[in-house]
Amino acid sequence: AQSVTQLDSQVPVFEEAPVELRCNYSSSVSVYLFWYVQYPNQGLQLLLKYLSGSTLVESINGFEAEFNKSQTSFHLRKPSVHISDTAEYFCAVSGPNDMRFGAGTRLTVKP
Amino acid sequence: EAGVAQSPRYKIIEKRQSVAFWCNPISGHATLYWYQQILGQGPKLLIQFQNNGVVDDSQLPKDRFSAERLKGVDSTLKIQPAKLEDSAVYLCASSQGQPLEQYFGPGTRLTVT
């Protein structure tokens, strides 16, 4: 079975600063990797995904993540954050039959 | 395209009472999931349906939780009787087939007092 570890439970940053949210996974089979974002009182929204091909994937709102097989990581990055990026971010790994989520990282962007 | 619908959005009950949640997945999505998200934690899969059959219910507390997906579309999750530790957000998600790119509903926030 797969598992996911999000290394930081909370990440406070100032507006326009860069940010990295860390995610490591473990699995004995090939996996697919996802980042979901959850705004207050809302469900999870898919931010970006890695299925195959290029190891660097991007979202429409400036986030990117890089799949690193040797380090079993899928860290999420953004070069310049906005107040509106304040939310909970979940890394997830999907195997053949199921999906496992990390515990989440709360990103707080301060003015 | 309409998203995943869930109701109610909020529910407050006393312990030992029963409660039911409803989910309507995206049209055409064969796979439906129920997750429990306790405050400060990531979603935990309770049960996964493929059409109207159960694929995985290994983490469903079957002594008090039950779920059904009659006709392979809508689904209902029930808790009877509820315990204080059941307080959580219950998320429904759907996908077209394999557990790729799940689409989530807004969730039902349950408070058990």
Side-chain angles (χ1 to χ4, degrees):
Chain A
Q2 304 80 240
S3 67
V4 180
T5 302
Q6 290 185 244
L7 299 165
D8 307 292
S9 61
Q10 297 187 55
V11 174
V13 295
F14 287 105
E15 193 174 18
E16 298 184 5
V19 70
E20 177 180 78
L21 307 183
R22 296 179 293 169
C23 172
N24 285 93
Y25 71 93
S26 65
S27 176
S28 58
V29 299
S30 296
V31 296
Y32 306 112
L33 294 157
F34 306 81
W35 275 99
Y36 283 83
V37 58
Q38 186 176 34
Y39 298 103
N41 299 315
Q42 296 186 27
L44 279 70
Q45 301 173 33
L46 180 66
L47 190 60
L48 46 75
K49 61 186 177 184
Y50 170 77
L51 304 180
S52 64
S54 173
T55 57
L56 184 65
V57 291
E58 299 177 351
S59 72
I60 58 174
N61 57 354
F63 283 94
E64 65 178 29
E66 185 163 18
F67 170 58
N68 189 318
K69 188 174 182 179
S70 63
Q71 297 185 11
T72 60
S73 68
F74 192 55
H75 302 332
L76 181 69
R77 301 184 182 94
K78 189 170 185 179
S80 176
V81 294
H82 302 290
I83 297 289
S84 59
D85 293 324
T86 294
E88 189 91 18
Y89 291 79
F90 293 94
C91 182
V93 58
S94 171
N97 299 309
D98 62 1
M99 180 178 284
R100 302 290 178 183
F101 287 84
T105 297
R106 178 169 297 279
L107 174 64
T108 303
V109 182
K110 300 178 288 185
Chain B
E1 177 183 81
V4 177
Q6 288 187 249
S7 68
R9 291 295 312 276
Y10 305 91
K11 189 74 177 179
I12 301 174
I13 62 172
E14 295 181 352
K15 59 183 179 183
R16 293 187 288 274
Q17 287 186 323
S18 62
V19 64
F21 312 128
W22 173 83
C23 173
N24 181 246
I26 292 173
S27 177
H29 281 193
T31 310
L32 184 146
Y33 315 80
W34 282 104
Y35 289 88
Q36 180 192 58
Q37 185 179 18
I38 293 173
L39 186 64
Q41 299 180 19
K44 182 186 82 172
L45 180 69
L46 292 176
I47 189 167
Q48 176 182 338
F49 291 96
Q50 180 76 18
N51 296 308
N52 60 352
V54 175
V55 173
D56 182 359
D57 64 356
S58 58
Q59 298 192 85
L60 186 74
K62 299 180 184 65
D63 58 332
R64 298 184 300 106
F65 286 64
S66 65
E68 61 183 12
R69 192 183 183 198
L70 300 176
K71 301 180 182 178
V73 182
D74 293 7
S75 177
T76 303
L77 176 69
K78 297 180 181 178
I79 307 175
Q80 182 179 13
K83 292 185 176 181
L84 295 177
E85 58 261 36
D86 298 332
S87 293
V89 175
Y90 291 85
L91 296 165
C92 179
S94 69
S95 66
Q96 285 189 316
Q98 299 173 354
L100 298 178
E101 195 161 354
Q102 296 181 27
Y103 294 84
F104 284 80
T108 296
R109 182 177 298 276
L110 173 67
T111 302
V112 183
T113 63

